[in-house]
Amino acid sequence: MKRNVVLYIFCCYLIFFNVCSKAPQSAREIINRSVEKHGGKALTNWKTMVVKGEVFQEDVGRKYRGEYIKYAQKPDKLRVERDLTKFERGRLFYSYIYNNGKGWMLINLIPYYGKQYGKLFKRWLNQCNGIAYYANSADTLILKPDKKVKGEKAYVISAITDNDTTNLYINKKDYYLIQEEYGKTKRIYSGFKRFGNAIYPTYIDEITKIGPRTVKVNFIYHSIESVSYTHLRAHETSLHLVCRLLL
């Protein structure tokens, strides 16, 4: 009798353990778990975000290092600055601006326009929400066979949003988003760190194929914070003011 009771309790434990530890089976379950691991609602519960760090770029044998600042304001404003005057006697200052569906760039305050900028910079704005953007906006999520990214086993999910497909690689250990692939661009994320109530990567390796060229960009994030728009304006330089007025 006691033996049967012990066996019954043991079987119940195994069933309970398997249910609780069961790996997610659907793409939606994996995405939702990844959102929670990254901070849940904190990923999207911001109005203005400022990211500061450094950028290292290699293009056709040319390498440069610059200061990197990204200003994002919901729902539709973004400004990214790459200041190459800070290091190694650089002479260029790049600004990438997105406002209400339109995008353009400035090189030393000289504007350049193109339809491709709007779509690209909108993606940069959406990436401020991390994996939560795809959880909230994807029309379709498709689970694909697992793959490895830098030795880490990862779920692979194709997220289709507005007929645009992005392959997401979510590691099986922590459920962090460790790689994105879209078009001819691949972004690898690492060095995850908590900023406020959310977890973001601090190292991003980006590789883009442009015809015969391969452009490699490395980002290092030193800080990520949400601040009010009033606070942003109070700390603007004259160059920031010009860029803001262009918005």
Side-chain angles (χ1 to χ4, degrees):
M1 179 69 177
K2 290 184 178 180
R3 181 179 179 183
N4 291 336
V5 171
V6 172
L7 183 60
Y8 174 77
I9 294 174
F10 179 71
C11 291
C12 289
Y13 171 79
L14 287 179
I15 294 173
F16 176 79
F17 177 80
N18 287 334
V19 170
C20 293
S21 61
K22 183 180 178 181
Q25 297 298 310
S26 72
R28 174 59 64 183
E29 289 176 317
I30 296 169
I31 289 284
N32 289 344
R33 184 174 292 189
S34 181
V35 170
E36 291 304 315
K37 289 292 184 177
H38 280 280
K41 292 182 179 179
L43 288 174
T44 56
N45 191 25
W46 55 271
K47 293 183 179 179
T48 304
M49 178 182 289
V50 181
V51 180
K52 295 182 180 180
E54 297 178 54
V55 59
F56 301 80
Q57 182 162 336
E58 180 180 342
D59 183 8
V60 196
R62 182 183 64 185
K63 298 180 180 180
Y64 68 75
R65 174 191 177 200
E67 182 182 70
Y68 177 86
I69 303 178
K70 176 166 60 178
Y71 303 95
Q73 182 186 357
K74 288 185 175 179
D76 56 11
K77 288 181 172 57
L78 176 77
R79 185 171 78 247
V80 176
E81 299 175 354
R82 298 183 186 181
D83 186 357
L84 308 188
T85 67
K86 293 287 185 178
F87 308 105
E88 302 168 2
R89 298 180 181 179
R91 298 180 179 180
L92 296 176
F93 189 100
Y94 292 87
S95 290
Y96 308 88
I97 301 170
Y98 178 78
N99 182 41
N100 193 26
K102 297 181 180 180
W104 64 95
M105 65 179 293
L106 305 171
I107 301 179
N108 292 348
L109 296 182
I110 300 174
Y112 296 84
Y113 301 94
K115 292 182 179 180
Q116 71 276 18
Y117 295 139
K119 182 177 180 180
L120 176 60
F121 300 165
K122 181 181 179 181
R123 179 180 285 275
W124 291 358
L125 179 61
N126 293 335
Q127 285 172 339
C128 293
N129 296 307
I131 188 69
Y133 166 70
Y134 299 102
N136 297 333
S137 303
D139 302 313
T140 305
L141 296 171
I142 302 172
L143 183 62
K144 293 189 170 183
D146 298 347
K147 288 188 178 182
K148 282 189 176 183
V149 177
K150 290 188 173 181
E152 293 188 74
K153 292 182 179 180
Y155 297 107
V156 182
I157 296 173
S158 287
I160 303 174
T161 307
D162 296 330
N163 296 320
D164 187 23
T165 300
T166 302
N167 289 324
L168 309 172
Y169 295 74
I170 299 172
N171 72 359
K172 291 192 168 186
K173 179 181 178 182
D174 303 309
Y175 285 86
Y176 291 157
L177 176 63
I178 57 175
Q179 183 170 300
E180 280 185 78
E181 291 179 348
Y182 50 90
K184 297 183 179 180
T185 297
K186 177 169 66 176
R187 288 166 62 93
I188 302 173
Y189 304 108
S190 60
F192 291 89
K193 182 179 177 181
R194 181 175 294 278
F195 294 93
N197 295 320
I199 295 176
Y200 299 95
T202 56
Y203 296 95
I204 301 175
D205 298 326
E206 181 179 285
I207 303 172
T208 302
K209 293 283 187 180
I210 305 176
R213 298 164 47 206
T214 298
V215 179
K216 298 180 181 179
V217 186
N218 306 104
F219 302 93
I220 300 176
Y221 290 171
H222 299 316
S223 66
I224 301 176
E225 58 181 335
S226 298
V227 298
S228 68
Y229 191 50
T230 302
H231 176 84
L232 267 182
R233 293 181 63 177
H235 291 78
E236 286 178 330
T237 65
S238 58
L239 182 56
H240 296 157
L241 180 60
V242 171
C243 292
R244 180 170 61 80
L245 290 175
L246 288 171
L247 291 175

